[in-house]
Amino acid sequence: MASARPVIVYPPDEDGGRRVRADGAILGRAYGLRDVAEFLRRAGIEDADETWVEASTLIEWRGGGPDTWMH
């Protein structure tokens, strides 16, 4: 992977979703850890679940960590 943290979760937008990007490709808009985990599983990280996402050092959280979601 190109960088030390190849997955970026962007700050919440006005609808509460956070864009998720991996290796330069937008995977989708997440509304919680479950969504991030699903996007990463589809991208080939089979071990990704909510606990993995919350603790992973591969993810760069921008605009708040894994507990920052607007609903």
Side-chain angles (χ1 to χ4, degrees):
M1 296 187 170
S3 68
R5 292 187 175 186
V7 178
I8 299 172
V9 179
Y10 290 89
D13 62 20
E14 63 278 351
D15 295 325
R18 298 180 77 169
R19 263 186 318 141
V20 179
R21 188 171 106 189
D23 284 336
I26 298 294
L27 302 181
R29 184 189 289 175
Y31 291 90
L33 295 176
R34 181 179 297 163
D35 294 337
V36 177
E38 181 60 25
F39 295 151
L40 296 179
R41 280 193 298 270
R42 291 178 187 177
I45 302 175
E46 295 177 15
D47 294 338
D49 63 13
E50 291 175 62
T51 302
W52 185 93
V53 167
E54 205 167 24
S56 178
T57 59
L58 293 177
I59 300 174
E60 177 183 338
W61 295 91
R62 295 185 180 174
D67 57 343
T68 303
W69 302 92
M70 295 181 184
H71 296 284

